Structures are given as C-alpha cells and as structure tokens.
Amino acid sequence: EYVPLQNTLYATETIPAMSLSNHHLVYSTTQYGFFQAGYHGGKEVFIYHRQDTYQPFNLRQHFKSSDFDDDILHALALDGDILVIGGRNKTHVFAEQNGAFEKSLSLNQGYDSVQISGRSLIATTDEEVHAIAIDDCTQAVPTQTLLC
C-alpha cells in the first residue's frame, strides 16, 4: 500500500537534478527556457531535511548559482553528510556541520555528472571518468582517469 509521507513540493521551474540520502532531499531548478536551450543545469539548489523517516521534509538551505561564481549547476550528489554540487567551472564539496551544509572543498574543474559514496567521488566529463578521494583531496587531482 502506498502512503504519502510528504505534501507535494512544487517548483516553479524545471528540476534537472535531485538526490536523496537519509533525511535530506536536494534538488536544483532552472528556468524552463534555459533548460530547453540545451544547458542541462540548474540555477538554484534547495536542501530539505526531515527529523524522522515518517515526517515531512522542510526547507533547510537554499543556494543560487551566483553563490558559487558559476552560472550553471550541472550535477548533484548526496551521501549522508556530504553534498557535491557540480558547476560548469568548478565542483563544490559540502560537509554538514551543526545542521547546515558548509563548503569544505572546491575542485577547479566542472563535471557533467557526479556520484558520491562515503568519501569517494566519481565525476565525469564528456570523455573522462575521475575517481577522487575527498578526504585526501586538497586540489583537483583525480586518482584515476579512464578515457571513454
């Protein structure tokens, strides 16, 4: 049996990326015309949180692409207390501290797609796959690059 746990979260714009982990829901939005023009990235990121599995999500944080000196947010990945927001020019890694996600690292490369598991980040460009150990990373140095 399906039991809705959340009232619908309405976005006024297209949602090109989203991620869910534990008690956090993260999604990005973009203006419809902008998305249709071929730029499959967002302009804003919304972070929702819930206290318990059976409680609704509430807005916790909101970022704009201008907060990152980037005009497009391509990708999102969330795993526990780590959030990755991939922009056109940089990729930003956030750690949850005192109930809020705070930027802890910026990689000087934008990626088309990002996935995170624990402290391991997989990030892709059109032709490369980068595996990055976040704990050991002080700059954008992939641990392995695979050519596709």
Side-chain angles (χ1 to χ4, degrees):
E1 177 179 337
Y2 170 75
V3 178
L5 298 176
Q6 175 75 44
N7 290 334
T8 303
L9 300 173
Y10 292 99
T12 59
E13 299 171 336
T14 301
I15 300 174
M18 63 181 227
S19 189
L20 175 68
S21 179
N22 296 329
H23 295 297
H24 291 97
L25 166 67
V26 179
Y27 67 88
S28 65
T29 64
T30 186
Q31 294 173 343
Y32 182 76
F34 190 74
F35 185 73
Q36 291 297 90
Y39 296 102
H40 300 285
K43 295 292 243 176
E44 297 180 279
V45 173
F46 296 87
I47 303 170
Y48 285 80
H49 179 264
R50 64 180 173 193
Q51 294 296 324
D52 184 42
T53 302
Y54 300 107
Q55 293 183 344
F57 286 99
N58 295 302
L59 182 62
R60 168 83 44 100
Q61 279 180 274
H62 172 226
F63 297 118
K64 295 181 179 182
S65 58
S66 59
D67 295 335
F68 306 111
D69 295 325
D70 216 329
D71 58 345
I72 297 176
L73 305 175
H74 282 290
L76 293 175
L78 177 66
D79 187 33
D81 63 342
I82 301 294
L83 169 64
V84 180
I85 300 175
R88 177 186 288 182
N89 302 312
K90 290 187 177 187
T91 300
H92 308 279
V93 179
F94 294 79
E96 185 179 22
Q97 298 176 11
N98 300 317
F101 283 95
E102 297 185 21
K103 191 179 339 181
S104 60
L105 176 68
S106 287
L107 306 175
N108 291 322
Q109 181 170 344
Y111 295 101
D112 298 324
S113 176
V114 294
Q115 293 293 321
I116 186 164
S117 178
R119 299 300 188 256
S120 297
L121 172 65
I122 301 295
T124 63
T125 64
D126 285 341
E127 299 176 353
E128 299 176 333
V129 175
H130 296 252
I132 302 165
I134 294 173
D135 284 339
D136 299 331
C137 191
T138 57
Q139 57 184 346
V141 179
T143 57
Q144 183 177 14
T145 300
L146 305 172
L147 298 178
C148 298

